Structures are given as C-alpha cells and as structure tokens.
C-alpha cells in the first residue's frame, strides 16, 4: 500500500487500490488533522491513531500518528488538503499540507 506523509506528498496508484495518509499528531494538545478532498474521487475507508509509545505503556499526553486510509475510486488526479488545527479556534492552522495521487 502506498503511503503519503508530510515529506512525501505525491504517489501513483491504480484505480481501486487503497493508500494511506500518515501524519504526526498529538491529540492531547487539542490539535487534530482535518483532511478535505479537493479534487478527484476517493473514499475514506478507515481512520486510526498509532501511539508513539510502546504497547502497554501508559504515558499521558504522548503523540503518535494519525492514519487515514483511502480508496482511489476513479482514474485521474486526487488532491487532498490537510490542516492541523484546534476545531474550536478561529486561528489559521498550525500546519497545512497538500497531497497528490495520480490514479491510473
């Protein structure tokens, strides 16, 4: 499965394949990623969070990775915008990322 990250923001997949967007996050701060599909057709299959702490450890406030799994529905270009922000604040996002998926 192909993976998009802040450092690697462009991939190519076949129609019907799944791909992930993996972004560092720390939900205990109130921040979270808001992903918006801005072009193309993809469906969100799953959203998950993987803690950066070892399994079984109880570290309060630890960060990790938000993982979004999408399925490419049509050939063409899929574009996703991601904003790292607090939902209740009106401030600009702390981070913004753009992702491009070429679907063959």
């Amino acid at each position: 499965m192909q993976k998009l990250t802040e450092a690697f923001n462009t991939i190519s997949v076949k129609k019907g394949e799944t791909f992930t967007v993996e972004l560092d996050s720390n939900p205990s701060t109130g921040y979270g990623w808001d992903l918006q599909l801005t072009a193309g057709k993809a469906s969100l299959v799953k959203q998950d969070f993987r803690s950066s702490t070892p399994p079984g450890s109880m570290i309060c406030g630890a960060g990790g990775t938000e993982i979004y799994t999408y399925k490419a529905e049509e050939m063409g270009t899929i574009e996703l915008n991601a904003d790292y922000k607090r939902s209740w604040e009106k401030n600009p996002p702390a981070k913004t990322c753009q992702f491009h998926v070429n679907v063959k």
Side-chain angles (χ1 to χ4, degrees):
M1 184 178 326
Q2 297 273 354
K3 175 173 66 172
L4 294 160
T5 65
E6 286 184 69
F8 191 72
N9 65 355
T10 302
I11 59 171
S12 293
V13 299
K14 293 180 182 175
K15 179 183 170 188
E17 285 186 336
T18 56
F19 61 93
T20 62
V21 179
E22 299 187 14
L23 299 164
D24 291 340
S25 178
N26 190 339
S28 69
T29 63
Y31 283 92
W33 286 100
D34 177 27
L35 271 69
Q36 299 294 319
L37 183 67
T38 58
K41 189 168 182 187
S43 54
L44 180 63
V45 175
K46 182 179 175 185
Q47 182 177 345
D48 201 5
F49 179 78
R50 181 177 55 228
S51 177
S52 60
T53 61
S57 65
M58 302 290 279
I59 299 175
C60 195
T65 305
E66 285 191 51
I67 304 166
Y68 301 85
T69 304
Y70 286 91
K71 180 179 178 183
E73 301 289 349
E74 292 181 351
M75 291 176 25
T77 301
I78 295 169
E79 293 181 5
L80 292 161
N81 286 341
D83 293 332
Y84 193 58
K85 63 183 184 175
R86 290 179 170 143
S87 61
W88 66 88
E89 290 185 343
K90 305 243 186 281
N91 301 333
K95 290 184 196 177
T96 299
C97 301
Q98 292 184 327
F99 303 101
H100 305 277
V101 181
N102 299 312
V103 184
K104 301 176 183 180

